[in-house]
PDB file of all heavy atoms in Angstrom:
ATOM      1  N   ASP A  11      -0.332-192.246-103.898  1.00 97.00           N
ATOM      2  CA  ASP A  11       0.441-191.925-102.766  1.00 97.00           C
ATOM      3  C   ASP A  11       0.061-190.576-102.056  1.00 97.00           C
ATOM      4  O   ASP A  11      -0.091-190.501-100.820  1.00 97.00           O
ATOM      5  CB  ASP A  11       1.992-191.966-103.114  1.00 97.00           C
ATOM      6  CG  ASP A  11       2.859-191.811-101.897  1.00 97.00           C
ATOM      7  OD1 ASP A  11       2.640-192.619-101.001  1.00 97.00           O
ATOM      8  OD2 ASP A  11       3.703-190.996-101.845  1.00 97.00           O
ATOM      9  N   GLN A  12      -0.274-189.606-102.889  1.00 98.00           N
ATOM     10  CA  GLN A  12      -0.703-188.466-102.434  1.00 98.00           C
ATOM     11  C   GLN A  12      -2.063-188.408-101.702  1.00 98.00           C
ATOM     12  O   GLN A  12      -2.202-187.798-100.740  1.00 98.00           O
ATOM     13  CB  GLN A  12      -0.864-187.346-103.506  1.00 98.00           C
ATOM     14  CG  GLN A  12      -1.019-185.998-102.985  1.00 98.00           C
ATOM     15  CD  GLN A  12       0.220-185.439-102.189  1.00 98.00           C
ATOM     16  OE1 GLN A  12       1.270-185.827-102.577  1.00 98.00           O
ATOM     17  NE2 GLN A  12       0.069-184.552-101.281  1.00 98.00           N
ATOM     18  N   VAL A  13      -3.015-189.368-102.097  1.00 98.00           N
ATOM     19  CA  VAL A  13      -4.117-189.603-101.235  1.00 98.00           C
ATOM     20  C   VAL A  13      -3.714-189.886 -99.721  1.00 98.00           C
ATOM     21  O   VAL A  13      -4.270-189.298 -98.876  1.00 98.00           O
ATOM     22  CB  VAL A  13      -5.025-190.678-101.916  1.00 98.00           C
ATOM     23  CG1 VAL A  13      -6.125-191.164-100.892  1.00 98.00           C
ATOM     24  CG2 VAL A  13      -5.537-190.315-103.164  1.00 98.00           C
ATOM     25  N   ASN A  14      -2.880-190.866 -99.664  1.00 97.00           N
ATOM     26  CA  ASN A  14      -2.334-191.206 -98.447  1.00 97.00           C
ATOM     27  C   ASN A  14      -1.719-190.170 -97.530  1.00 97.00           C
ATOM     28  O   ASN A  14      -1.820-190.074 -96.369  1.00 97.00           O
ATOM     29  CB  ASN A  14      -1.595-192.619 -98.405  1.00 97.00           C
ATOM     30  CG  ASN A  14      -2.514-193.649 -98.708  1.00 97.00           C
ATOM     31  OD1 ASN A  14      -3.498-194.111 -98.153  1.00 97.00           O
ATOM     32  ND2 ASN A  14      -2.464-194.136 -99.970  1.00 97.00           N
ATOM     33  N   LYS A  15      -0.874-189.332 -98.270  1.00 97.00           N
ATOM     34  CA  LYS A  15      -0.054-188.272 -97.710  1.00 97.00           C
ATOM     35  C   LYS A  15      -1.071-187.195 -97.207  1.00 97.00           C
ATOM     36  O   LYS A  15      -0.884-186.706 -95.995  1.00 97.00           O
ATOM     37  CB  LYS A  15       0.737-187.625 -98.734  1.00 97.00           C
ATOM     38  CG  LYS A  15       1.929-188.539 -99.248  1.00 97.00           C
ATOM     39  CD  LYS A  15       2.837-188.875 -98.202  1.00 97.00           C
ATOM     40  CE  LYS A  15       3.989-189.738 -98.761  1.00 97.00           C
ATOM     41  NZ  LYS A  15       4.852-190.263 -97.896  1.00 97.00           N
ATOM     42  N   GLU A  16      -2.177-186.971 -97.941  1.00 97.00           N
ATOM     43  CA  GLU A  16      -3.213-185.943 -97.496  1.00 97.00           C
ATOM     44  C   GLU A  16      -3.926-186.464 -96.183  1.00 97.00           C
ATOM     45  O   GLU A  16      -4.230-185.708 -95.286  1.00 97.00           O
ATOM     46  CB  GLU A  16      -4.133-185.639 -98.610  1.00 97.00           C
ATOM     47  CG  GLU A  16      -3.652-185.036 -99.842  1.00 97.00           C
ATOM     48  CD  GLU A  16      -3.106-183.579 -99.613  1.00 97.00           C
ATOM     49  OE1 GLU A  16      -3.549-182.933 -98.692  1.00 97.00           O
ATOM     50  OE2 GLU A  16      -2.255-183.158-100.486  1.00 97.00           O
ATOM     51  N   PHE A  17      -4.185-187.696 -96.120  1.00 97.00           N
ATOM     52  CA  PHE A  17      -4.966-188.303 -94.880  1.00 97.00           C
ATOM     53  C   PHE A  17      -3.934-188.202 -93.825  1.00 97.00           C
ATOM     54  O   PHE A  17      -4.387-187.864 -92.694  1.00 97.00           O
ATOM     55  CB  PHE A  17      -5.350-189.783 -95.245  1.00 97.00           C
ATOM     56  CG  PHE A  17      -6.676-189.837 -95.936  1.00 97.00           C
ATOM     57  CD1 PHE A  17      -6.875-190.570 -97.059  1.00 97.00           C
ATOM     58  CD2 PHE A  17      -7.886-189.209 -95.378  1.00 97.00           C
ATOM     59  CE1 PHE A  17      -8.028-190.694 -97.604  1.00 97.00           C
ATOM     60  CE2 PHE A  17      -9.036-189.229 -96.147  1.00 97.00           C
ATOM     61  CZ  PHE A  17      -9.139-190.031 -97.175  1.00 97.00           C
ATOM     62  N   TYR A  18      -2.698-188.464 -94.000  1.00 97.00           N
ATOM     63  CA  TYR A  18      -1.683-188.353 -92.996  1.00 97.00           C
ATOM     64  C   TYR A  18      -1.660-186.901 -92.560  1.00 97.00           C
ATOM     65  O   TYR A  18      -1.573-186.616 -91.256  1.00 97.00           O
ATOM     66  CB  TYR A  18      -0.151-188.727 -93.436  1.00 97.00           C
ATOM     67  CG  TYR A  18       0.778-188.393 -92.391  1.00 97.00           C
ATOM     68  CD1 TYR A  18       1.026-189.277 -91.283  1.00 97.00           C
ATOM     69  CD2 TYR A  18       1.498-187.206 -92.474  1.00 97.00           C
ATOM     70  CE1 TYR A  18       1.909-188.853 -90.259  1.00 97.00           C
ATOM     71  CE2 TYR A  18       2.520-186.866 -91.478  1.00 97.00           C
ATOM     72  CZ  TYR A  18       2.576-187.676 -90.369  1.00 97.00           C
ATOM     73  OH  TYR A  18       3.561-187.447 -89.390  1.00 97.00           O
ATOM     74  N   SER A  19      -1.633-185.883 -93.368  1.00 97.00           N
ATOM     75  CA  SER A  19      -1.639-184.566 -93.114  1.00 97.00           C
ATOM     76  C   SER A  19      -2.822-184.052 -92.052  1.00 97.00           C
ATOM     77  O   SER A  19      -2.683-183.501 -91.056  1.00 97.00           O
ATOM     78  CB  SER A  19      -1.791-183.615 -94.254  1.00 97.00           C
ATOM     79  OG  SER A  19      -0.576-183.819 -94.973  1.00 97.00           O
ATOM     80  N   ALA A  20      -3.948-184.667 -92.376  1.00 97.00           N
ATOM     81  CA  ALA A  20      -5.162-184.524 -91.583  1.00 97.00           C
ATOM     82  C   ALA A  20      -4.949-185.092 -90.205  1.00 97.00           C
ATOM     83  O   ALA A  20      -5.319-184.432 -89.181  1.00 97.00           O
ATOM     84  CB  ALA A  20      -6.411-185.150 -92.332  1.00 97.00           C
ATOM     85  N   TYR A  21      -4.398-186.295 -90.185  1.00 96.00           N
ATOM     86  CA  TYR A  21      -4.036-186.944 -88.915  1.00 96.00           C
ATOM     87  C   TYR A  21      -3.064-186.084 -88.033  1.00 96.00           C
ATOM     88  O   TYR A  21      -3.290-185.891 -86.809  1.00 96.00           O
ATOM     89  CB  TYR A  21      -3.506-188.324 -89.205  1.00 96.00           C
ATOM     90  CG  TYR A  21      -3.595-189.455 -88.106  1.00 96.00           C
ATOM     91  CD1 TYR A  21      -4.740-189.476 -87.509  1.00 96.00           C
ATOM     92  CD2 TYR A  21      -2.481-190.222 -87.946  1.00 96.00           C
ATOM     93  CE1 TYR A  21      -4.740-190.564 -86.521  1.00 96.00           C
ATOM     94  CE2 TYR A  21      -2.734-191.227 -87.001  1.00 96.00           C
ATOM     95  CZ  TYR A  21      -3.809-191.327 -86.248  1.00 96.00           C
ATOM     96  OH  TYR A  21      -4.036-192.418 -85.231  1.00 96.00           O
ATOM     97  N   LEU A  22      -2.065-185.626 -88.753  1.00 97.00           N
ATOM     98  CA  LEU A  22      -1.094-184.684 -88.080  1.00 97.00           C
ATOM     99  C   LEU A  22      -1.761-183.488 -87.529  1.00 97.00           C
ATOM    100  O   LEU A  22      -1.517-183.123 -86.429  1.00 97.00           O
ATOM    101  CB  LEU A  22      -0.066-184.266 -89.151  1.00 97.00           C
ATOM    102  CG  LEU A  22       1.080-183.375 -88.481  1.00 97.00           C
ATOM    103  CD1 LEU A  22       1.904-184.039 -87.456  1.00 97.00           C
ATOM    104  CD2 LEU A  22       1.973-182.832 -89.799  1.00 97.00           C
ATOM    105  N   TYR A  23      -2.622-182.852 -88.246  1.00 97.00           N
ATOM    106  CA  TYR A  23      -3.301-181.583 -87.791  1.00 97.00           C
ATOM    107  C   TYR A  23      -4.306-181.933 -86.627  1.00 97.00           C
ATOM    108  O   TYR A  23      -4.529-181.161 -85.750  1.00 97.00           O
ATOM    109  CB  TYR A  23      -3.965-180.809 -88.868  1.00 97.00           C
ATOM    110  CG  TYR A  23      -2.827-180.170 -89.817  1.00 97.00           C
ATOM    111  CD1 TYR A  23      -2.980-180.243 -91.110  1.00 97.00           C
ATOM    112  CD2 TYR A  23      -1.728-179.679 -89.346  1.00 97.00           C
ATOM    113  CE1 TYR A  23      -2.027-179.665 -92.095  1.00 97.00           C
ATOM    114  CE2 TYR A  23      -0.672-179.166 -90.082  1.00 97.00           C
ATOM    115  CZ  TYR A  23      -0.943-179.083 -91.485  1.00 97.00           C
ATOM    116  OH  TYR A  23       0.079-178.588 -92.199  1.00 97.00           O
ATOM    117  N   LEU A  24      -4.874-182.996 -86.693  1.00 97.00           N
ATOM    118  CA  LEU A  24      -5.738-183.467 -85.624  1.00 97.00           C
ATOM    119  C   LEU A  24      -4.900-183.590 -84.302  1.00 97.00           C
ATOM    120  O   LEU A  24      -5.319-183.222 -83.140  1.00 97.00           O
ATOM    121  CB  LEU A  24      -6.397-184.741 -85.792  1.00 97.00           C
ATOM    122  CG  LEU A  24      -7.654-184.618 -86.830  1.00 97.00           C
ATOM    123  CD1 LEU A  24      -8.148-186.067 -87.221  1.00 97.00           C
ATOM    124  CD2 LEU A  24      -8.667-183.729 -86.357  1.00 97.00           C
ATOM    125  N   ASP A  25      -3.663-184.177 -84.384  1.00 96.00           N
ATOM    126  CA  ASP A  25      -2.655-184.345 -83.247  1.00 96.00           C
ATOM    127  C   ASP A  25      -2.272-182.852 -82.785  1.00 96.00           C
ATOM    128  O   ASP A  25      -2.361-182.753 -81.528  1.00 96.00           O
ATOM    129  CB  ASP A  25      -1.444-185.109 -83.731  1.00 96.00           C
ATOM    130  CG  ASP A  25      -0.616-185.559 -82.585  1.00 96.00           C
ATOM    131  OD1 ASP A  25      -1.254-186.021 -81.524  1.00 96.00           O
ATOM    132  OD2 ASP A  25       0.539-185.384 -82.548  1.00 96.00           O
ATOM    133  N   PHE A  26      -2.065-181.982 -83.606  1.00 96.00           N
ATOM    134  CA  PHE A  26      -1.869-180.662 -83.258  1.00 96.00           C
ATOM    135  C   PHE A  26      -3.075-179.899 -82.541  1.00 96.00           C
ATOM    136  O   PHE A  26      -2.856-179.225 -81.488  1.00 96.00           O
ATOM    137  CB  PHE A  26      -1.536-179.683 -84.545  1.00 96.00           C
ATOM    138  CG  PHE A  26      -0.221-179.923 -85.176  1.00 96.00           C
ATOM    139  CD1 PHE A  26       0.244-179.381 -86.258  1.00 96.00           C
ATOM    140  CD2 PHE A  26       0.692-180.788 -84.555  1.00 96.00           C
ATOM    141  CE1 PHE A  26       1.361-179.777 -86.897  1.00 96.00           C
ATOM    142  CE2 PHE A  26       1.925-181.112 -85.125  1.00 96.00           C
ATOM    143  CZ  PHE A  26       2.312-180.498 -86.289  1.00 96.00           C
ATOM    144  N   ALA A  27      -4.251-180.240 -82.998  1.00 97.00           N
ATOM    145  CA  ALA A  27      -5.521-179.613 -82.382  1.00 97.00           C
ATOM    146  C   ALA A  27      -5.545-180.271 -80.983  1.00 97.00           C
ATOM    147  O   ALA A  27      -5.809-179.562 -80.075  1.00 97.00           O
ATOM    148  CB  ALA A  27      -6.758-179.994 -83.272  1.00 97.00           C
ATOM    149  N   ASN A  28      -5.274-181.617 -80.898  1.00 95.00           N
ATOM    150  CA  ASN A  28      -5.267-182.153 -79.574  1.00 95.00           C
ATOM    151  C   ASN A  28      -4.225-181.595 -78.556  1.00 95.00           C
ATOM    152  O   ASN A  28      -4.657-181.191 -77.454  1.00 95.00           O
ATOM    153  CB  ASN A  28      -4.999-183.803 -79.656  1.00 95.00           C
ATOM    154  CG  ASN A  28      -5.165-184.455 -78.338  1.00 95.00           C
ATOM    155  OD1 ASN A  28      -6.122-184.279 -77.608  1.00 95.00           O
ATOM    156  ND2 ASN A  28      -4.078-185.083 -78.025  1.00 95.00           N
ATOM    157  N   TYR A  29      -3.042-181.225 -79.197  1.00 95.00           N
ATOM    158  CA  TYR A  29      -2.135-180.563 -78.401  1.00 95.00           C
ATOM    159  C   TYR A  29      -2.577-179.182 -77.833  1.00 95.00           C
ATOM    160  O   TYR A  29      -2.545-178.971 -76.488  1.00 95.00           O
ATOM    161  CB  TYR A  29      -0.875-180.387 -79.121  1.00 95.00           C
ATOM    162  CG  TYR A  29       0.276-179.509 -78.527  1.00 95.00           C
ATOM    163  CD1 TYR A  29       1.112-179.855 -77.626  1.00 95.00           C
ATOM    164  CD2 TYR A  29       0.238-178.039 -78.777  1.00 95.00           C
ATOM    165  CE1 TYR A  29       2.090-179.148 -76.963  1.00 95.00           C
ATOM    166  CE2 TYR A  29       1.143-177.279 -78.128  1.00 95.00           C
ATOM    167  CZ  TYR A  29       2.018-177.672 -77.257  1.00 95.00           C
ATOM    168  OH  TYR A  29       2.951-176.917 -76.592  1.00 95.00           O
ATOM    169  N   PHE A  30      -3.181-178.380 -78.580  1.00 96.00           N
ATOM    170  CA  PHE A  30      -3.510-177.140 -78.277  1.00 96.00           C
ATOM    171  C   PHE A  30      -4.840-177.165 -77.288  1.00 96.00           C
ATOM    172  O   PHE A  30      -4.934-176.343 -76.453  1.00 96.00           O
ATOM    173  CB  PHE A  30      -3.925-176.281 -79.536  1.00 96.00           C
ATOM    174  CG  PHE A  30      -2.632-175.829 -80.094  1.00 96.00           C
ATOM    175  CD1 PHE A  30      -2.283-176.087 -81.378  1.00 96.00           C
ATOM    176  CD2 PHE A  30      -1.824-174.878 -79.480  1.00 96.00           C
ATOM    177  CE1 PHE A  30      -1.112-175.643 -82.027  1.00 96.00           C
ATOM    178  CE2 PHE A  30      -0.569-174.386 -79.974  1.00 96.00           C
ATOM    179  CZ  PHE A  30      -0.286-174.919 -81.302  1.00 96.00           C
ATOM    180  N   THR A  31      -5.714-178.182 -77.537  1.00 96.00           N
ATOM    181  CA  THR A  31      -6.836-178.332 -76.563  1.00 96.00           C
ATOM    182  C   THR A  31      -6.331-178.619 -75.208  1.00 96.00           C
ATOM    183  O   THR A  31      -6.763-178.099 -74.129  1.00 96.00           O
ATOM    184  CB  THR A  31      -7.696-179.542 -77.016  1.00 96.00           C
ATOM    185  OG1 THR A  31      -8.298-179.125 -78.351  1.00 96.00           O
ATOM    186  CG2 THR A  31      -8.870-179.853 -76.046  1.00 96.00           C
ATOM    187  N   GLU A  32      -5.252-179.436 -75.118  1.00 94.00           N
ATOM    188  CA  GLU A  32      -4.750-179.807 -73.779  1.00 94.00           C
ATOM    189  C   GLU A  32      -4.026-178.648 -73.109  1.00 94.00           C
ATOM    190  O   GLU A  32      -4.019-178.544 -71.916  1.00 94.00           O
ATOM    191  CB  GLU A  32      -3.607-180.852 -74.069  1.00 94.00           C
ATOM    192  CG  GLU A  32      -4.303-182.260 -74.310  1.00 94.00           C
ATOM    193  CD  GLU A  32      -3.291-183.360 -74.572  1.00 94.00           C
ATOM    194  OE1 GLU A  32      -2.061-183.093 -74.619  1.00 94.00           O
ATOM    195  OE2 GLU A  32      -3.817-184.536 -74.854  1.00 94.00           O
ATOM    196  N   LYS A  33      -3.579-177.670 -74.061  1.00 95.00           N
ATOM    197  CA  LYS A  33      -2.882-176.406 -73.481  1.00 95.00           C
ATOM    198  C   LYS A  33      -4.012-175.393 -73.206  1.00 95.00           C
ATOM    199  O   LYS A  33      -3.516-174.270 -72.637  1.00 95.00           O
ATOM    200  CB  LYS A  33      -1.931-175.815 -74.426  1.00 95.00           C
ATOM    201  CG  LYS A  33      -0.765-176.721 -74.727  1.00 95.00           C
ATOM    202  CD  LYS A  33       0.206-176.948 -73.493  1.00 95.00           C
ATOM    203  CE  LYS A  33       1.288-177.843 -73.755  1.00 95.00           C
ATOM    204  NZ  LYS A  33       2.054-178.172 -72.531  1.00 95.00           N
ATOM    205  N   GLY A  34      -5.255-175.565 -73.360  1.00 96.00           N
ATOM    206  CA  GLY A  34      -6.230-174.540 -73.259  1.00 96.00           C
ATOM    207  C   GLY A  34      -6.373-173.597 -74.215  1.00 96.00           C
ATOM    208  O   GLY A  34      -7.068-172.586 -74.091  1.00 96.00           O
ATOM    209  N   LEU A  35      -5.741-173.710 -75.361  1.00 97.00           N
ATOM    210  CA  LEU A  35      -5.807-172.881 -76.574  1.00 97.00           C
ATOM    211  C   LEU A  35      -6.795-173.398 -77.511  1.00 97.00           C
ATOM    212  O   LEU A  35      -6.534-173.941 -78.590  1.00 97.00           O
ATOM    213  CB  LEU A  35      -4.483-172.560 -77.193  1.00 97.00           C
ATOM    214  CG  LEU A  35      -3.412-171.967 -76.197  1.00 97.00           C
ATOM    215  CD1 LEU A  35      -1.958-171.989 -76.710  1.00 97.00           C
ATOM    216  CD2 LEU A  35      -3.871-170.510 -75.966  1.00 97.00           C
ATOM    217  N   THR A  36      -8.216-173.191 -77.149  1.00 97.00           N
ATOM    218  CA  THR A  36      -9.257-173.799 -78.048  1.00 97.00           C
ATOM    219  C   THR A  36      -9.220-173.114 -79.438  1.00 97.00           C
ATOM    220  O   THR A  36      -9.820-173.842 -80.385  1.00 97.00           O
ATOM    221  CB  THR A  36     -10.488-173.827 -77.337  1.00 97.00           C
ATOM    222  OG1 THR A  36     -10.839-172.460 -76.908  1.00 97.00           O
ATOM    223  CG2 THR A  36     -10.390-174.659 -76.092  1.00 97.00           C
ATOM    224  N   GLY A  37      -8.857-171.881 -79.575  1.00 97.00           N
ATOM    225  CA  GLY A  37      -8.861-171.213 -80.940  1.00 97.00           C
ATOM    226  C   GLY A  37      -7.828-171.831 -81.782  1.00 97.00           C
ATOM    227  O   GLY A  37      -8.052-172.150 -82.919  1.00 97.00           O
TER     228      GLY A  37
END
Side-chain angles (χ1 to χ4, degrees):
D11 189 49
Q12 193 62 32
V13 169
N14 290 289
K15 299 290 187 191
E16 297 291 339
F17 279 127
Y18 173 82
S19 296
Y21 204 44
L22 178 67
Y23 290 140
L24 288 173
D25 194 46
F26 291 169
N28 185 52
Y29 169 83
F30 284 115
T31 297
E32 290 172 358
K33 296 293 180 190
L35 295 170
T36 56

